[in-house]
Structures are given as C-alpha cells and as structure tokens.
Amino acid sequence: ALIEQSLAGIYIIQDCHFRYVNPGFAKIFGYVSPQEIVDQIEVSELVSPADRERVMENVRRRIEGRSTDIHYVFVGQRQDGSPIDLEVHGRTFDYQGRPAVIGLILDISARRAAEEQLRKLAQAIEQSSESVIITNLAAEIEYVNEAFLRNTGYSRQEIIGQNPRILHSGNTP
C-alpha cells in the first residue's frame, strides 16, 4: 500500500522494459495508469534523446553487474513529449530468477526551476553596481557583493561577521 500510494515513482526494469511501475511513476510521466507502461513501453521511450544513451548504459551496467547502486539525474520525456527533470536511485536485484533493476524516480523539475531562479538572482546581485549587504538576525554581515567591496575598500574577510555599524564613520549625518 505504501508503494502504491507513494508520490515518488517506483519501478522494476528487466530486458529494457518496465515490469512494474506504481501509480506515482505513471503520473510523473503523464500516464493515467501503470498498465499503460508495464510491458508496453521500453525504458528508452521515457528518456529525452539527449540523455538516452547515458541512461541505457546505466541500466546495462546494473543488469550486467558492473554497478549495483546508482544515483543520477537526467531529462525524461512525458507521454506528450514534454521534458521533465528527474532524479533516479536504482539498484540491481533478482526478479523472477533473472537480473533486474529496482528503483525510485523523483520529478525534480520544480526544484531545478527554483535553483535556476536563485542562480539568476545571485548573478544579478553579484553583478549589480549598487552595494548589497545581507545580514542574519543577529545583525552580522553574511554576504556582500563586489560593488560593496569596491565602494568601501573592505575585503570580504574583514567585513563578514561584522555588524553594519562598522560603516558608520560619524562624519556624515
């Protein structure tokens, strides 16, 4: 019941086909039910063309016993052809007397989009010509951008951990 109700995708691969997928796996890839995938779709069909060779090599390595556990990210392909960022954890095991791969797959598209937004924001702050200071709740400086260092003459080592009052010279109102 836990596996069937999991939001994470759980799968078993054997002979390059899915022998089992839970409803969470089907949903991640845009299918209504696991029956649309199990013994119907080859693994490679759910992988973007750019990542297909690498993913299939990872499956082969596990089936052939060259690697037992594996963890990686790749771009998958939903039923409608749209891309999806995925993280996979898989390991080799014996299924019905033959080697197979059992694993867990997570949709990390939202996480990747958030990381990209944070990267853009960090780049904008770092490249800004205006001084930027970030402090924690104890009023200790945790971050300053390059413009701050240029404008104040402080080095990063001198200013990190200080209180912003260090900037008050007493020479201006």
Side-chain angles (χ1 to χ4, degrees):
L2 179 63
I3 290 172
E4 289 295 308
Q5 297 302 314
S6 175
L7 298 177
I10 311 291
Y11 64 87
I12 296 173
I13 297 171
Q14 194 174 54
D15 301 325
C16 294
H17 281 83
F18 293 101
R19 299 301 182 210
Y20 169 83
V21 301
N22 71 339
F25 185 99
K27 184 177 180 182
I28 286 170
F29 285 96
Y31 290 86
V32 175
S33 76
Q35 291 73 28
E36 294 177 88
I37 300 170
V38 174
D39 294 326
Q40 304 295 315
I41 295 179
E42 287 190 27
V43 173
S44 62
E45 292 179 49
L46 298 182
V47 181
S48 72
D51 285 343
R52 201 166 281 156
E53 185 177 323
R54 181 172 60 92
V55 169
M56 294 314 296
E57 176 59 23
N58 285 337
V59 171
R60 278 189 295 278
R61 283 179 38 218
R62 285 177 284 173
I63 294 291
E64 294 169 0
R66 292 185 281 146
S67 173
T68 54
D69 294 329
I70 198 157
H71 169 236
Y72 60 99
V73 296
F74 70 96
V75 177
Q77 191 166 289
R78 289 189 178 100
Q79 182 182 23
D80 65 7
S82 63
I84 180 172
D85 292 314
L86 300 165
E87 180 176 0
V88 64
H89 302 264
R91 79 174 350 165
T92 304
F93 85 119
D94 186 63
Y95 181 65
Q96 299 178 341
R98 297 188 13 248
V101 176
I102 188 168
L104 170 106
I105 199 160
L106 302 169
D107 177 352
I108 60 168
S109 299
R111 182 175 86 194
R112 282 274 173 100
E115 288 170 352
E116 179 61 18
Q117 285 297 99
L118 285 173
R119 187 192 64 72
K120 287 178 184 177
L121 178 60
Q123 187 176 18
I125 289 172
E126 192 57 37
Q127 293 177 355
S128 174
S129 60
E130 299 297 321
S131 294
V132 177
I133 301 173
I134 297 175
T135 65
N136 60 24
L137 294 175
E140 298 165 334
I141 297 172
E142 292 185 339
Y143 170 84
V144 294
N145 68 350
E146 287 298 320
F148 174 91
L149 299 175
R150 275 192 313 275
N151 294 336
T152 65
Y154 282 105
S155 72
R156 211 173 293 279
Q157 295 80 5
E158 292 173 307
I159 200 71
I160 300 298
Q162 297 291 327
N163 185 293
R165 284 191 301 263
I166 195 172
L167 301 172
H168 185 70
S169 68
N171 295 329
T172 58

